[in-house]
Amino acid sequence: MSTVQAYAAAEAGAKLEPFNYELGDLPSEAVDIKVHYCGICHSDLSMINNDWGMTEYPFVAGHEIVGEIIAAGPDVKGLAVGDLVGVGWNSASCMHCTQCMGGSHHLCVSLESTIVGRHGGFADKVRAHWSWAIKLPEAIDLPKAGPLFCGGITVFNPIILGGVKPTDKVGVIGIGGLGHMALKFLNKWGCEVIAFSSNPDKKAEILEMGATRVVNSRDPEELESIQGSLNFILNTTNVSLDWNSYLGVLAPQGRLHNVGAVLEPMAIPAFSLIMGEKSVAGSPLGSPELTATMLEFCARHDIYPIVEEFPLDKVNEAIKHLEDGKARYRIVLRMN
Ligand SMILES: [Zn+2]
Ligand SMILES: [Zn+2]
């Protein structure tokens, strides 16, 4: 038995308070991880506030975890005590369905999510199935690696799914926690990268993140100047946009890929898709294998989110900082 010292919300929207719980016996295929750092993602806020109606209280958030394996069950594969690993939104999958057998574990019908019906990483320890505890490359920058396990893989997977080539011209909508990581990935991928932003104050910073050019999405003339030219557009925002304008910016056979969870239905004129063989798509996170590949790519090209660090006991201040829209660009909690 192992006692976990965590921070939990007692009810929807409550401040996080110290909270202890017992992990129970270690299942044969599970690992226990001593948490070193854990990112704070918008989904943590949504879960604390029960925005999606699936939060169980007391609730321990945190799904951008990096740390060290301190216990491994007898049937754990490829990992050992002492290994540095990361865990993201998913913490287990069935390992025998068509999706798992095909390598798309993130599409498993019986996925276990790190903070749904169990406790997450705002804690000194966390548990996961071995398949979702991804080994970190030696060269990784540990304090900045946590957000790669949710935000990072969320924007990396679309590059693979969309078949984005180094010669492509691509666009990123929304330069925040997700979008700024997308700019860095696409820049190192070799693409010409257009950042869509309506905030002129951010321009210099956005160019430094890897954008080739910043286009003001609210200026029809600027949009007109790149009409029909982008092979791929990644939307990281969760608000309704003028979808038809963005479809107009796509080149024939281009793809508008969504990772921002827009709650309203998207109004897409069929002719805007039909005439240029264009597509609209979406995706959640990515597989364990792709996550490992992404981590190597990050270590090789020095791609990391821009992070602000808070100690775990300042978790409520960190959450307020994120809620107020002040995070530049991801927040990471440091365990002591
Ligand atoms: Zn997340
Ligand atoms: Zn499965």
Side-chain angles (χ1 to χ4, degrees):
M1 293 286 270
S2 180
T3 304
V4 179
Q5 298 182 321
Y7 274 77
E11 57 183 22
K15 280 214 167 353
L16 307 193
E17 306 278 358
F19 164 74
N20 289 359
Y21 74 97
E22 295 296 330
L23 272 175
D25 293 337
L26 184 67
S28 69
E29 295 198 20
V31 293
D32 284 343
I33 299 158
K34 179 182 191 305
V35 181
H36 289 191
Y37 297 92
C38 185
I40 307 183
C41 172
H42 264 282
S43 309
D44 290 314
L45 287 187
S46 303
M47 286 294 290
I48 289 169
N49 296 329
N50 198 19
D51 290 343
W52 300 327
M54 60 182 186
T55 310
E56 291 171 26
Y57 298 93
F59 170 71
V60 180
H63 61 276
E64 295 186 338
I65 301 155
V66 289
E68 180 184 343
I69 295 184
I70 50 169
D75 297 324
V76 164
K77 314 281 192 298
L79 294 172
V81 170
D83 284 348
L84 288 176
V85 295
V87 176
W89 179 261
N90 299 313
S91 49
S93 47
C94 80
M95 306 300 281
H96 61 78
C97 73
T98 307
Q99 299 303 331
C100 283
M101 292 301 281
S104 298
H105 305 67
H106 63 299
L107 303 178
C108 173
V109 285
S110 45
L111 265 181
E112 174 187 278
S113 300
T114 308
I115 59 168
V116 181
R118 46 156 286 160
H119 294 314
F122 293 1
D124 66 341
K125 290 192 253 341
V126 75
R127 179 168 284 177
H129 187 268
W130 63 264
S131 59
W132 284 97
I134 318 291
K135 218 166 168 173
L136 295 168
E138 251 174 54
I140 205 92
D141 186 346
L142 198 67
K144 293 180 184 167
L148 295 172
F149 283 84
C150 181
I153 189 64
T154 295
V155 297
F156 188 77
N157 190 18
I159 299 172
I160 307 295
L161 290 173
V164 175
K165 297 191 288 290
T167 47
D168 281 348
K169 292 182 185 174
V170 302
V172 177
I173 309 173
I175 311 305
L178 291 174
H180 91 289
M181 282 190 260
L183 294 181
K184 288 169 179 244
F185 281 129
L186 289 162
N187 172 285
K188 293 295 181 188
W189 209 253
C191 301
E192 182 175 328
V193 188
I194 307 289
F196 292 102
S197 172
S198 50
N199 182 354
D201 298 342
K202 271 185 169 179
K203 189 172 175 180
E205 200 179 2
I206 290 173
L207 292 173
E208 210 166 299
M209 289 168 185
T212 320
R213 181 178 164 193
V214 183
V215 165
N216 182 351
S217 43
R218 291 194 187 146
D219 182 339
E221 268 179 39
E222 281 204 44
L223 278 185
E224 183 64 34
S225 73
I226 53 167
Q227 198 71 2
S229 69
L230 300 188
N231 307 99
F232 177 82
I233 297 176
L234 182 65
N235 172 35
T236 69
T237 68
N238 59 2
V239 292
S240 280
L241 299 171
D242 179 359
W243 305 115
N244 204 33
S245 301
Y246 286 104
L247 291 174
V249 165
L250 279 180
Q253 298 184 324
R255 176 182 182 121
L256 172 61
H257 194 108
N258 290 280
V259 294
V262 189
L263 294 178
E264 282 170 283
M266 298 170 75
I268 305 287
F271 265 119
S272 300
L273 300 179
I274 292 168
M275 298 316 287
E277 297 181 357
K278 297 176 186 179
S279 61
V280 177
S283 63
L285 302 145
S287 70
E289 178 277 326
L290 190 64
T291 306
T293 301
M294 171 198 70
L295 292 168
E296 279 178 34
F297 189 71
C298 292
R300 188 188 315 149
H301 291 290
D302 204 27
I303 300 170
Y304 295 103
I306 299 168
V307 303
E308 296 175 289
E309 219 176 279
F310 287 75
L312 179 61
D313 58 11
K314 296 271 192 308
V315 60
N316 290 303
E317 287 169 39
I319 287 172
K320 173 95 176 38
H321 192 65
L322 179 59
E323 267 177 333
D324 292 348
K326 291 181 181 162
R328 293 291 178 274
Y329 279 79
R330 292 298 273 202
I331 297 174
V332 167
L333 295 173
R334 181 180 67 247
M335 312 303 150
N336 300 311

